Short mmCIF file of all heavy atoms in Angstrom, two decimals:
data_model
loop_
_atom_site.label_atom_id
_atom_site.label_comp_id
_atom_site.label_asym_id
_atom_site.label_seq_id
_atom_site.Cartn_x
_atom_site.Cartn_y
_atom_site.Cartn_z
N GLU A 31 131.23 74.79 107.04
CA GLU A 31 131.57 74.11 105.78
C GLU A 31 130.59 73.03 105.48
O GLU A 31 130.05 72.39 106.38
CB GLU A 31 132.97 73.52 105.86
CG GLU A 31 134.04 74.49 105.42
CD GLU A 31 135.44 73.94 105.57
OE1 GLU A 31 135.59 72.74 105.37
OE2 GLU A 31 136.34 74.74 105.86
N GLY A 32 130.32 72.79 104.20
CA GLY A 32 129.50 71.67 103.78
C GLY A 32 128.01 71.91 103.87
O GLY A 32 127.22 70.99 103.67
N VAL A 33 127.59 73.14 104.16
CA VAL A 33 126.16 73.46 104.21
C VAL A 33 125.96 74.77 103.48
O VAL A 33 126.68 75.75 103.71
CB VAL A 33 125.67 73.62 105.67
CG1 VAL A 33 124.21 74.01 105.72
CG2 VAL A 33 125.91 72.36 106.49
N ASP A 34 124.98 74.82 102.56
CA ASP A 34 124.62 76.05 101.92
C ASP A 34 123.61 76.77 102.82
O ASP A 34 122.71 76.15 103.35
CB ASP A 34 124.01 75.81 100.54
CG ASP A 34 125.01 75.19 99.59
OD1 ASP A 34 126.19 75.59 99.63
OD2 ASP A 34 124.66 74.29 98.82
N VAL A 35 123.79 78.07 102.91
CA VAL A 35 122.90 78.85 103.79
C VAL A 35 122.29 80.00 102.98
O VAL A 35 123.00 80.66 102.19
CB VAL A 35 123.68 79.41 105.01
CG1 VAL A 35 122.80 80.29 105.87
CG2 VAL A 35 124.24 78.28 105.85
N ALA A 36 121.02 80.26 103.18
CA ALA A 36 120.36 81.40 102.55
C ALA A 36 119.45 82.08 103.54
O ALA A 36 118.88 81.44 104.43
CB ALA A 36 119.55 80.94 101.35
N VAL A 37 119.34 83.39 103.41
CA VAL A 37 118.33 84.12 104.20
C VAL A 37 117.34 84.76 103.23
O VAL A 37 117.70 85.14 102.10
CB VAL A 37 118.95 85.24 105.10
CG1 VAL A 37 119.78 84.60 106.22
CG2 VAL A 37 119.81 86.22 104.31
N CYS A 38 116.07 84.80 103.63
CA CYS A 38 114.99 85.31 102.77
C CYS A 38 114.27 86.46 103.49
O CYS A 38 113.23 86.23 104.11
CB CYS A 38 114.01 84.20 102.43
SG CYS A 38 114.79 82.68 101.85
N PRO A 39 114.85 87.64 103.42
CA PRO A 39 114.21 88.79 104.08
C PRO A 39 113.05 89.39 103.24
O PRO A 39 112.90 89.00 102.08
CB PRO A 39 115.35 89.85 104.13
CG PRO A 39 116.58 89.20 103.56
CD PRO A 39 116.11 88.01 102.77
N PRO A 40 112.26 90.26 103.81
CA PRO A 40 111.24 90.97 103.03
C PRO A 40 111.88 91.78 101.89
O PRO A 40 113.07 92.12 101.98
CB PRO A 40 110.59 91.92 104.04
CG PRO A 40 111.04 91.49 105.37
CD PRO A 40 112.32 90.74 105.22
N PHE A 41 111.10 92.12 100.87
CA PHE A 41 111.64 92.84 99.68
C PHE A 41 112.50 94.03 100.06
O PHE A 41 113.56 94.25 99.51
CB PHE A 41 110.52 93.27 98.75
CG PHE A 41 109.90 92.13 97.98
CD1 PHE A 41 108.54 91.90 98.02
CD2 PHE A 41 110.70 91.29 97.17
CE1 PHE A 41 107.96 90.88 97.27
CE2 PHE A 41 110.14 90.27 96.42
CZ PHE A 41 108.75 90.05 96.49
N THR A 42 111.99 94.83 101.03
CA THR A 42 112.67 96.09 101.31
C THR A 42 114.01 95.89 102.03
O THR A 42 114.79 96.85 102.16
CB THR A 42 111.80 97.00 102.17
OG1 THR A 42 111.42 96.25 103.35
CG2 THR A 42 110.55 97.44 101.43
N SER A 43 114.28 94.69 102.48
CA SER A 43 115.53 94.42 103.21
C SER A 43 116.52 93.63 102.36
O SER A 43 117.62 93.28 102.83
CB SER A 43 115.25 93.69 104.52
OG SER A 43 114.41 94.43 105.36
N LEU A 44 116.13 93.31 101.12
CA LEU A 44 117.01 92.49 100.30
C LEU A 44 118.34 93.18 99.96
O LEU A 44 119.41 92.58 100.04
CB LEU A 44 116.29 92.10 98.99
CG LEU A 44 115.16 91.09 99.13
CD1 LEU A 44 114.34 90.99 97.82
CD2 LEU A 44 115.70 89.70 99.52
N ALA A 45 118.24 94.44 99.56
CA ALA A 45 119.45 95.15 99.08
C ALA A 45 120.51 95.19 100.18
O ALA A 45 121.69 94.88 99.94
CB ALA A 45 119.12 96.55 98.63
N VAL A 46 120.09 95.52 101.37
CA VAL A 46 121.08 95.64 102.48
C VAL A 46 121.64 94.26 102.82
O VAL A 46 122.81 94.11 103.14
CB VAL A 46 120.48 96.40 103.68
CG1 VAL A 46 119.47 95.58 104.45
CG2 VAL A 46 121.60 96.84 104.62
N ALA A 47 120.83 93.22 102.75
CA ALA A 47 121.31 91.87 103.02
C ALA A 47 122.36 91.45 102.00
O ALA A 47 123.43 90.92 102.34
CB ALA A 47 120.14 90.88 103.02
N VAL A 48 122.10 91.75 100.74
CA VAL A 48 123.07 91.44 99.67
C VAL A 48 124.38 92.18 99.93
O VAL A 48 125.47 91.61 99.82
CB VAL A 48 122.49 91.79 98.27
CG1 VAL A 48 123.58 91.75 97.22
CG2 VAL A 48 121.32 90.90 97.91
N GLN A 49 124.23 93.44 100.30
CA GLN A 49 125.42 94.28 100.54
C GLN A 49 126.26 93.75 101.69
O GLN A 49 127.46 93.56 101.58
CB GLN A 49 124.88 95.65 100.91
CG GLN A 49 125.70 96.82 100.47
CD GLN A 49 124.96 98.09 100.98
OE1 GLN A 49 123.71 98.15 100.98
NE2 GLN A 49 125.74 99.05 101.40
N VAL A 50 125.61 93.47 102.83
CA VAL A 50 126.37 93.03 104.01
C VAL A 50 126.95 91.65 103.82
O VAL A 50 128.04 91.35 104.30
CB VAL A 50 125.47 93.07 105.28
CG1 VAL A 50 126.21 92.54 106.47
CG2 VAL A 50 124.96 94.48 105.54
N LEU A 51 126.25 90.78 103.06
CA LEU A 51 126.74 89.38 102.92
C LEU A 51 127.61 89.20 101.67
O LEU A 51 128.05 88.07 101.41
CB LEU A 51 125.51 88.44 102.86
CG LEU A 51 124.71 88.40 104.15
CD1 LEU A 51 123.47 87.57 103.98
CD2 LEU A 51 125.57 87.84 105.32
N ALA A 52 127.89 90.27 100.95
CA ALA A 52 128.77 90.19 99.78
C ALA A 52 130.12 89.61 100.21
O ALA A 52 130.65 89.93 101.27
CB ALA A 52 128.97 91.57 99.18
N GLY A 53 130.65 88.70 99.39
CA GLY A 53 131.95 88.15 99.74
C GLY A 53 131.86 86.93 100.67
O GLY A 53 132.86 86.33 101.01
N THR A 54 130.64 86.60 101.14
CA THR A 54 130.45 85.38 101.94
C THR A 54 129.74 84.35 101.10
O THR A 54 129.31 84.63 99.96
CB THR A 54 129.57 85.65 103.18
OG1 THR A 54 128.20 85.80 102.72
CG2 THR A 54 129.98 86.91 103.92
#
Side-chain angles (χ1 to χ4, degrees):
E31 270 178 34
V33 178
D34 295 321
V35 176
V37 292
C38 311
F41 285 126
T42 55
S43 300
L44 288 169
V46 72
V48 168
Q49 213 180 324
V50 176
L51 295 172
T54 73

